[in-house]
Amino acid sequence: MGTPYHLQSPRTIPARLVNMRQLPPGLPPPPPPQEPPSKTTRQQEVLPQRLPAATSKIILQPRDRTSPAMWFAAIVCFAFSIILIVAGVVILIVFLAVKPRAPSFDTANASLNSVYVDSPAYFNGDMTLVANFSNPNQKIDVVFRSATVELFFRDRPMAVQVLPPFAQRWGQFQVLNLHMVSSRVLLPPEVAMELVNQVRSNRVVYTIRGAFKVEARFWFSHYSYWMNTICELELTAPPCGVLVARRCRTK
């Protein structure tokens, strides 16, 4: 089968008809003559032949050599990474071997000496608190650089006691007597009324909050951190109020 006449060039149709008349029956018609390629086609055929040469020139271009400054920076970064990894491993080993623990604060005992609410809602009170500081570490000494203990009733500050700096050896505990005195502390009427009702019911609930700046010493190194303690105290009514329940937690 040849190309249909409606798709052939007008110049090739007469030549094809002449050839069909001259051929004996039974032979296939010869292929139609092809037109000479145009200038655009020749340019498209020549252009791909030039691409490999240009590509080879690009591939064969020499690379730029790495400067000594880049090599030096890479070596410094590699050495710094090795130092960080080694330091992290050493710190992890020391931490697992020493197992540092934070000191603990607890109220061993407390006594409520007096509670007096004057008109209009001025509070006066006197309480003695026995505080127990302990260092549970086995290889680390601690120093309390700053220690503040506050007394609260329903989130209202009632008294404050500031302690001088003191040190503790590993495994050592220390008991301190804190005298919490409140003088003419103005309370809201509803808070003052609640305090009076608790005294009458022989059940007074106070809150102790402690803020301590601790310095831990290990061999020739040391580090500092803040420790916060909250204790809920339940005492009987004055003048001989005693501690009946307590609950402390340290952060």
Side-chain angles (χ1 to χ4, degrees):
M1 296 294 294
T3 304
Y5 289 103
H6 65 278
L7 298 180
Q8 296 181 9
S9 176
R11 292 180 295 178
T12 61
I13 294 175
R16 182 174 178 83
L17 293 175
V18 173
N19 292 335
M20 291 178 64
R21 292 177 180 177
Q22 296 177 358
L23 288 175
L27 293 179
Q34 297 182 357
E35 297 182 358
S38 61
K39 183 178 180 181
T40 305
T41 306
R42 290 196 300 268
Q43 290 178 354
Q44 293 178 354
E45 293 177 355
V46 174
L47 182 59
Q49 298 178 0
R50 297 178 181 177
L51 289 177
T55 306
S56 61
K57 291 181 181 180
I58 296 175
I59 296 175
L60 297 177
Q61 287 181 355
R63 294 183 179 180
D64 296 336
R65 298 184 61 183
T66 305
S67 62
M70 293 295 295
W71 280 110
F72 178 77
I75 293 173
V76 170
C77 293
F78 178 76
F80 185 70
S81 302
I82 295 298
I83 292 174
L84 286 180
I85 294 174
V86 173
V89 172
V90 171
I91 292 174
L92 179 61
I93 294 175
V94 172
F95 180 84
L96 295 177
V98 176
K99 296 180 180 179
R101 297 172 60 186
S104 62
F105 171 84
D106 192 11
T107 54
N109 197 1
S111 60
L112 189 57
N113 304 319
S114 65
V115 172
Y116 178 69
V117 180
D118 195 4
S119 177
Y122 281 104
F123 170 76
N124 298 273
D126 188 339
M127 186 179 71
T128 302
L129 179 67
V130 181
N132 182 16
F133 296 87
S134 60
N135 180 12
N137 294 284
Q138 299 298 325
K139 298 179 181 180
I140 298 178
D141 301 334
V142 296
V143 178
F144 289 85
R145 294 295 183 186
S146 157
T148 304
V149 180
E150 296 179 277
L151 177 66
F152 289 84
F153 179 81
R154 288 292 183 265
D155 295 331
R156 294 285 176 175
M158 313 294 283
V160 61
Q161 183 76 33
V162 179
L163 306 179
F166 61 95
Q168 279 188 326
R169 300 277 298 175
W170 56 267
Q172 183 182 4
F173 69 92
Q174 187 173 357
V175 178
L176 299 177
N177 293 324
L178 307 180
H179 195 194
M180 313 296 292
V181 178
S182 304
S183 177
R184 294 187 62 80
V185 179
L186 181 61
L187 298 177
E190 61 276 9
V191 178
M193 183 59 64
E194 184 178 357
L195 178 59
V196 172
N197 292 335
Q198 288 189 8
V199 172
R200 290 174 180 175
S201 63
N202 199 28
R203 179 182 176 274
V204 184
V205 179
Y206 282 106
T207 301
I208 298 293
R209 297 181 183 178
F212 314 100
K213 185 177 182 180
V214 183
E215 179 182 303
R217 297 180 176 179
F218 177 71
W219 290 347
F220 300 102
S221 62
H222 63 86
Y223 58 95
S224 301
Y225 58 91
W226 281 94
M227 184 180 73
N228 297 289
T229 301
I230 298 178
C231 293
E232 301 288 340
L233 307 180
E234 182 178 346
L235 303 98
T236 58
C240 298
V242 295
L243 182 65
V244 295
R246 72 181 188 276
R247 184 181 60 182
C248 297
R249 57 184 184 273
T250 301
K251 296 181 181 179

